[in-house]
Amino acid sequence: MQLLPGFRDFYPEDCARRNYILSRWREVARRYGFSEYDGPILEPIELYKKKSGGELLGQLFDFVDKGGRHVAMRPEMTPSLARMVATRERDFKKPLKWFCLPQFFRYEKQQRGRLREFYQLNCDIIGEPSPAADAEMLAILIDMLRSFGLTKEHFVVRVSDRNAWTQFALKRSVPEDRVLDFLAVIDKLERSSPEQIRPKLAEFGVTLEDVESFLRNPEAEAAGLRALTDDLRARGLDGFVELDLTIVRGLAYYTGFVFEVFDRNKTERALAGGGRYDNLLSLMSDGKVNLTALGFGMGDVVLQNLIQDTPPAREQMERWIADHHAADLFLVLANEERRPDALRILQSLRDAGYRVDYSLAPAKIGKQFQQAEQRGASIAILLGEEWPALKLKRLATREEWTVAQDTLCAEISRALPARTTS
Ligand code: HAM
């Protein structure tokens, strides 16, 4: 039986890499005071038809359920988040800083960095219109990537303002109801040849030369971006950000400030993308809830490619994984008759919170020590000739010493370094 295209099996080594990413994301989100939430995996298809728009609609995994409802597997979180907040808006102090780590489904063409199933960190701030929120959002985005050992040599945040293009279009008499279609053409600018782009722009009465000269000399309202850069400079994070008006984003709900993150060599698809969606909550609640919002999504697929291709980041990941899967202790049993004693000691050490392993099947002592090494144990505990005393052996240094059973836990807590992993 073959896997469906774009779907992954997670063998233990794959799960370990995925969990590394998810756990870093969680840890940094907590540092910034974001609270975790989640929503349903299935939603009524209208939610995405009305709110996501753009390319996403052609990529839905959708079906009619047994009750005749047309549903879609979630391709993104933002419409669900807007509904959740609009529904219970009064229950929450503003601004809300929320994050989630959901798995999404999009029927895309499978390629490097793009699958049909992926995890995506979402961070959103709701109810704070000032540039301080924009800067906080970029700071958490940058720190998410820094926490993987990536630096400004490895990635760049390209910021832009959709309003600049909206005004550009309106000034050139693009009808208001066609501005989103115009933005979709600009979104494809970098990925298309001049021959492909020219006729598409011509539909809006715009020339490629006009667009190119705007990009070189933006009429964009730069004041908002200046406050943003000043804020990031005070944190020492301004070197990660560049202005790039070719970024407009493919989703319908963005209202102004938008951004995407790319690897410096630009060999990968976007690592993350987001922006302001100041009208979505109002749209979702028929005008009852007027809260501004902004946020981003960061996928695990491109991030993992970049980590694998960046030696310091890869080594940091491998250290974390080794650390998380290694045993602390390994019990070595010289004499099968002592198995009940070994199990009693095993249980008390596990109850004390240590990661303890042992050989399920009877095995020669040498083989058991080999297993201890393979499990990455720090210390082997031998039930051998010294019985009822125990012999401890630190595997890295081969140092050996003997302890009485009733002092074992105290001795282990002295001899094992405290865990610092999260
Ligand atoms: P998005 O640009 O569609 O934004 O996705 C954000 C990130 O998710 C992408 O940059 C990419 O890393 C990852 N991603 C998207 N599609 C795939 C795929 N097929 N395979 C692997 N990774 C993928 C959104 O989803 C917005 N809802 C983000 C947002 C949150 N805006 C405001 N708040």
Side-chain angles (χ1 to χ4, degrees):
M1 290 292 281
Q2 295 251 310
L3 270 180
L4 288 170
F7 284 81
R8 295 173 284 183
D9 281 329
F10 288 91
Y11 286 93
E13 69 264 28
D14 308 307
C15 249
R17 286 193 285 266
R18 178 193 65 185
N19 292 348
Y20 169 64
I21 289 178
L22 297 182
S23 104
R24 279 280 97 98
W25 280 346
R26 259 202 187 97
E27 190 197 307
V28 178
R30 297 225 170 94
R31 264 191 238 161
Y32 274 76
F34 279 62
S35 309
E36 187 165 353
Y37 71 101
D38 203 353
I41 272 185
L42 281 184
E43 290 273 20
I45 194 165
E46 280 74 36
L47 184 73
Y48 306 114
K49 279 198 175 149
K50 289 195 189 122
K51 308 303 175 203
S52 306
E55 289 174 332
L56 235 150
L57 293 185
Q59 302 170 339
L60 292 174
F61 274 90
D62 61 309
F63 58 94
V64 177
D65 76 5
K66 291 192 172 66
R69 300 172 199 88
H70 196 173
V71 296
M73 291 171 80
R74 61 184 175 190
E76 65 154 335
M77 205 64 193
T78 312
S80 306
L81 171 65
R83 184 201 55 225
M84 285 170 69
V85 174
T87 307
R88 284 187 44 196
E89 182 258 327
R90 293 212 185 116
D91 295 347
F92 309 116
K93 291 233 164 13
K94 306 328 164 269
L96 276 71
K97 302 203 287 185
W98 284 13
F99 80 99
C100 64
L101 311 173
Q103 191 177 22
F104 291 146
F105 304 89
R106 296 186 188 180
Y107 199 90
E108 289 206 52
K109 189 158 171 280
Q110 189 185 341
Q111 52 187 294
R112 186 171 164 86
R114 284 293 176 274
L115 299 175
R116 290 181 176 173
E117 150 280 309
F118 58 99
Y119 288 83
Q120 194 197 66
L121 162 73
N122 277 243
C123 293
D124 292 84
I125 298 179
I126 296 180
E128 178 52 61
S130 73
D134 301 0
E136 178 81 346
M137 193 49 75
L138 292 193
I140 190 173
L141 170 61
I142 292 165
D143 276 345
M144 285 288 173
L145 293 167
R146 286 179 64 227
S147 80
F148 293 99
L150 299 168
T151 68
K152 53 181 157 235
E153 273 113 70
H154 306 122
F155 72 91
V156 58
V157 184
R158 298 156 85 199
V159 302
S160 175
D161 188 352
R162 239 190 204 204
N163 285 330
W165 284 111
T166 305
Q167 276 150 30
F168 172 98
L170 294 176
K171 272 189 199 155
R172 283 151 187 85
S173 309
V174 174
E176 237 180 286
D177 60 353
R178 300 234 40 218
V179 169
L180 271 181
D181 298 328
F182 174 75
L183 291 179
V185 179
I186 299 297
D187 186 41
K188 295 275 174 317
L189 209 58
E190 281 217 306
R191 278 171 278 160
S192 321
S193 66
E195 295 70 42
Q196 289 169 317
I197 278 289
R198 272 182 203 288
K200 292 197 178 134
L201 289 172
E203 283 178 37
F204 299 92
V206 174
T207 66
L208 185 57
E209 287 66 30
D210 194 5
V211 166
E212 283 172 344
S213 90
F214 181 73
L215 281 173
R216 280 193 300 273
N217 185 14
E219 297 158 32
E221 176 57 67
L225 288 182
R226 198 163 312 124
L228 178 77
T229 326
D230 288 347
D231 183 315
L232 290 175
R233 188 173 305 115
R235 307 177 197 229
L237 295 179
D238 53 321
F240 289 88
V241 177
E242 284 170 10
L243 177 70
D244 179 349
L245 287 182
T246 60
I247 307 289
V248 294
R249 309 272 303 134
L251 292 154
Y253 44 67
Y254 292 112
T255 46
F257 172 57
V258 285
F259 50 88
E260 281 183 352
V261 184
F262 290 91
D263 64 300
R264 278 280 179 194
N265 304 328
K266 250 205 126 201
T267 48
E268 306 283 346
R269 306 279 308 259
L271 276 153
R276 278 210 167 264
Y277 48 100
D278 286 341
N279 302 333
L280 189 58
L281 276 99
S282 170
L283 285 172
M284 195 63 90
S285 60
D286 295 323
K288 286 190 209 74
V289 178
N290 283 299
L291 285 173
T292 60
L294 86 154
F296 69 83
M298 178 187 297
D300 67 323
V301 182
V302 183
L303 176 59
Q304 191 154 146
N305 289 346
L306 189 59
I307 291 172
Q308 296 281 9
D309 291 346
T310 310
R314 190 178 59 230
E315 282 149 28
Q316 178 183 314
M317 174 174 75
E318 281 162 5
R319 268 198 309 279
W320 187 95
I321 291 174
D323 219 47
H324 267 70
H325 291 80
D328 297 314
L329 305 166
F330 197 97
L331 285 185
V332 176
L333 191 54
N335 176 348
E336 270 303 315
E337 279 169 24
R338 302 249 154 76
R339 195 166 273 267
D341 292 304
L343 294 174
R344 173 176 48 78
I345 294 169
L346 170 83
Q347 189 65 32
S348 68
L349 289 168
R350 284 182 175 164
D351 281 349
Y354 294 105
R355 301 179 194 161
V356 198
D357 224 336
Y358 70 108
S359 177
L360 287 173
K364 296 220 167 74
I365 292 196
K367 175 113 185 282
Q368 292 182 57
F369 272 105
Q370 260 178 15
Q371 289 176 348
E373 303 264 3
Q374 281 158 6
R375 288 290 292 108
S378 302
I379 293 174
I381 303 173
L382 176 68
L383 284 73
E385 285 168 4
E386 296 78 2
W387 185 261
L390 302 163
K391 192 154 101 188
L392 304 193
K393 180 171 180 182
R394 192 182 287 283
L395 292 171
T397 60
R398 317 263 152 212
E399 170 199 359
E400 295 184 346
W401 71 107
T402 305
V403 298
Q405 280 187 50
D406 56 357
T407 60
L408 179 65
C409 270
E411 182 60 21
I412 294 292
S413 81
R414 190 194 61 76
L416 271 188
R419 248 171 226 299
T420 52
T421 47
S422 55

